[in-house]
Amino acid sequence: MRTVYGETTSKTLLAFNTDADSLFSDERVRTSTRYFIDTATIAKQQKDAYAALGGPISPLEPGYADLTGLYPYDVAKGQSLIGFFALHYLGTATILTPSRYSSLADTLVTELSKNNRYEVTKQVVDDTTLAKRMADGDYTLAIITMDDTGDASQFASGDSVFRYENSDAQSAYDQAMSSTTDAAYQSHLRDFASIVSKDAASAWLYTRRSIVVVRDGTTGYPTNMTDQMLPLARLSD
């Protein structure tokens, strides 16, 4: 028997509440926060991670581009950006997390605490509470997964749980949706994802992996997206 890993469209991220009364409504807070997070190391250490991710679209979805280079781990640059604010001026940011990501939340608390401009704590909640509080806008930060193809659309509407609004991103997304060719569709989606990531609408961490355990000698098994479907028509021993 052996274990085989593959890719999925499932994405793990640190969601920002960018509503007007949230400290993450300020672009400097969002961008500096992304510099404080060592996503490359997190992607290597998390058991459910396949690879680091830098934007709202995964490699298996239309419009993907590698955006991991936009915010490399750089504490000094993050401190320079957030240094605009007085010490502790921004108050406290609490990371809501389901229990399965409690250790990841601890890592993020440690990394974000290097900012010196807002305190960081964590709160473990169940999935129902997490979903409700995000829907109500009753959160600052939250560790979540997004696992639907095309769910990047949530960053194109201020009505989503992120409360994120950006007219350039909305325009690029609308152009993608009105495209009449696949090339144009994917081009506009790449533009959209780039705008959203550069503006730090959230902090994307990694794409999650799928796991298949197979018997030696078995062929024809799928490896990617087995969390959503498991086609076995080509399976043979």
Side-chain angles (χ1 to χ4, degrees):
M1 302 289 286
R2 65 185 186 280
T3 302
V4 181
Y5 300 105
E7 296 182 75
T8 72
T9 58
S10 183
K11 301 161 282 283
T12 297
L13 61 149
L14 181 65
F16 299 163
N17 180 353
T18 67
D19 208 0
D21 59 355
S22 169
L23 62 95
F24 284 89
S25 63
D26 192 293
E27 181 184 0
R28 286 163 295 197
V29 177
R30 299 195 306 271
T31 54
S32 64
T33 296
R34 290 197 69 183
Y35 279 119
F36 289 124
I37 299 174
D38 187 355
T39 54
T41 297
I42 286 174
K44 291 178 181 177
Q45 294 178 341
Q46 284 296 118
K47 292 181 179 180
D48 65 336
Y50 183 84
L53 183 67
I57 299 177
S58 73
L60 297 183
E61 297 174 87
Y64 170 76
D66 184 359
L67 301 174
T68 54
L70 288 178
Y71 289 96
Y73 182 52
D74 192 331
V75 174
K77 193 163 188 175
Q79 289 176 336
S80 175
L81 284 167
I82 207 165
F84 171 85
F85 301 96
L87 188 65
H88 304 306
Y89 169 80
L90 295 168
T92 300
T94 298
I95 300 175
L96 296 184
T97 180
S99 58
R100 61 186 173 277
Y101 285 130
S102 181
S103 62
L104 173 57
D106 289 336
T107 297
L108 291 171
V109 167
T110 298
E111 293 188 344
L112 297 185
S113 292
K114 298 172 184 176
N115 76 79
N116 297 323
R117 291 300 185 270
Y118 61 84
E119 300 294 327
V120 189
T121 62
K122 82 168 182 180
Q123 181 179 358
V124 179
V125 296
D126 59 58
D127 289 334
T128 300
T129 300
L130 178 60
K132 184 178 188 307
R133 288 188 58 177
M134 292 188 71
D136 293 343
D138 181 22
Y139 80 103
T140 308
L141 298 168
I143 298 176
I144 65 170
T145 57
M146 301 177 69
D147 56 8
D148 294 325
T149 299
D151 54 20
S153 62
Q154 293 191 44
F155 293 98
S157 170
D159 295 329
S160 77
V161 295
F162 307 107
R163 309 300 199 271
Y164 176 72
E165 295 190 58
N166 181 308
S167 59
D168 291 335
Q170 180 67 63
S171 176
Y173 186 78
D174 288 345
Q175 290 181 67
M177 293 303 101
S178 61
S179 296
T180 57
T181 67
D182 181 67
Y185 172 66
Q186 297 215 36
S187 176
H188 290 307
L189 278 181
R190 285 192 292 271
D191 290 342
F192 163 73
S194 178
I195 293 167
V196 169
S197 184
K198 287 177 180 177
D199 198 32
S202 281
W204 292 270
L205 303 176
Y206 57 86
T207 52
R208 300 174 69 210
R209 65 184 180 183
S210 61
I211 302 173
V212 178
V213 178
V214 297
R215 186 171 60 191
D216 291 340
T218 301
T219 61
Y221 53 85
T223 58
N224 292 337
M225 297 181 65
T226 56
D227 58 324
Q228 297 184 28
M229 53 186 173
L230 192 64
L232 302 176
R234 298 181 179 179
L235 194 68
S236 65
D237 289 325

